[in-house]
Structures are given as C-alpha cells and as structure tokens.
Amino acid sequence: MAQEADEVDRIVEAWMLQRPDLDFSPLEVLSRVDRLSRHLDRARRDAFRRSELEPWEWDVLSALRRAGEPFQLSPKQLLQQTLVSSGTMTNRIDRLVGRRLVRREQDPGDGRSILVILTEDGRTRVDAAITRLVDAEALLLSGLSRPDRERIAGLLRKLSLGFDTSGAH
C-alpha cells in the first residue's frame, strides 16, 4: 500500500533534486514536528480563549491546579514550573489577582512569604480549559491508533530527554 505524500515530502523531494549532496532526513522529522506544533498552538489558543484565558494565564493557573488541594504554590515554585523571570511572575500574579483568578495569602509556615492560591473562578476556568484542550488534542491525534500514539510519545520522550538533561534549547 503506497503511503500518501504530504507537503514535507514535496519539500524534501524538491530539495533532494537541488542538493543531492545533503541528507534531508532531519527535515522529514522536524519539519513535520514544526507543522504539527502550529496546529497544536492554534488548538491550544482556541481552548484557552473559549475559557477566557490567555496562554500565560493558563501556565500559572494550571500549575496551581496540578498542585492539588489546596491549589497553592509559592511564587518561587511557580517560577520553577513556568520558567519566567521573577519580575514577569510578579506581574502575572498581579494581573491574575486583578481578575480574581488567584489570591495572595501569607504563608502560615513562614510569615515573610506569601502563597498564591487558585480561586474558585480560576479553578472553574482552568478545568474547562483542560477539558477543551484534551478534546482538541484527541481530535488532532484521531488518525492514529493508541499503539501508534504510544510509540510516537515514546520516541518524542526519548528525543526531548536529550534536551532536558543537557540544558539545550
């Protein structure tokens, strides 16, 4: 059974005619990852928009939601999970407090520190967004069987571990 050609196949084929001296196998993988990333980005932005969240708001709120009851983290813990600067995180927390999606409280274990706590409205929005996101991502993968998805996930994990451990970006 012949495999259907996609846009990447056409691009690689054209390059091979022009530059037969090069190995284009990296493009066959990473150009597809890049194209799929664009589709995923659109699906994610739509899921967040429908829950009235910006992607950066999702990052903070989902970190708090994943923390479990009582849905609170220190600003330092949020920094570690979202990989933004301290000043950016302070601004984000301020804006989320303004929208009443989180609140600040003194840390009962350390009076000098604060905790960022997910509000009920924040939890409702993040729960709606993750439901929409999972549904949208399942639709993007609907052409693959579960074993195919598991195989791809394993290969991508193997590839990303190389970046995660080396600090490469």
Side-chain angles (χ1 to χ4, degrees):
M1 175 161 89
Q3 230 176 331
E4 194 175 338
D6 67 2
E7 186 62 20
V8 173
D9 288 323
R10 289 183 276 281
I11 290 167
V12 167
E13 187 178 324
W15 272 117
M16 286 175 18
L17 290 171
Q18 300 303 313
R19 293 293 310 271
D21 57 311
L22 295 177
D23 172 13
F24 289 99
S25 61
L27 259 62
E28 292 185 87
V29 174
L30 298 177
S31 289
R32 287 185 175 96
V33 169
D34 181 56
R35 287 168 176 269
L36 291 169
S37 174
R38 292 181 211 174
H39 289 288
L40 177 58
D41 187 54
R42 276 196 292 273
R44 286 185 168 191
R45 286 183 181 279
D46 184 55
F48 303 151
R49 181 187 49 75
R50 291 174 54 210
S51 298
E52 299 177 19
L53 295 175
E54 294 294 326
W56 66 266
E57 292 173 317
W58 161 258
D59 287 344
V60 176
L61 298 177
S62 67
L64 290 165
R65 181 65 173 95
R66 289 190 314 268
E69 289 279 1
F71 311 114
Q72 63 186 28
L73 294 169
S74 70
K76 182 178 180 182
Q77 290 170 311
L78 284 169
L79 281 172
Q80 291 167 339
Q81 291 195 33
T82 59
L83 304 175
V84 298
S85 72
S86 177
T88 298
M89 181 54 67
T90 298
N91 182 33
R92 288 180 176 186
I93 293 168
D94 288 345
R95 291 172 67 186
L96 289 167
V97 166
R99 290 194 60 200
R100 295 185 167 91
L101 300 176
V102 303
R103 67 180 189 275
R104 287 184 173 100
E105 286 186 11
Q106 289 295 128
D107 184 342
D110 179 359
R112 297 169 298 165
S113 300
I114 66 156
L115 293 171
V116 179
I117 303 168
L118 189 63
T119 64
E120 195 58 42
D121 188 30
R123 182 176 173 187
T124 299
R125 286 178 196 245
V126 78
D127 282 354
I130 190 62
T131 300
R132 288 179 173 115
L133 180 60
V134 168
D135 289 347
E137 290 184 359
L139 192 59
L140 289 174
L141 296 174
S142 63
L144 297 175
S145 67
R146 182 165 293 277
D148 282 347
R149 284 191 245 173
E150 290 170 1
R151 190 164 56 250
I152 288 172
L155 291 170
L156 291 172
R157 180 182 304 108
K158 184 177 180 179
L159 183 60
S160 81
L161 281 171
F163 289 96
D164 293 345
T165 57
S166 71
H169 290 70

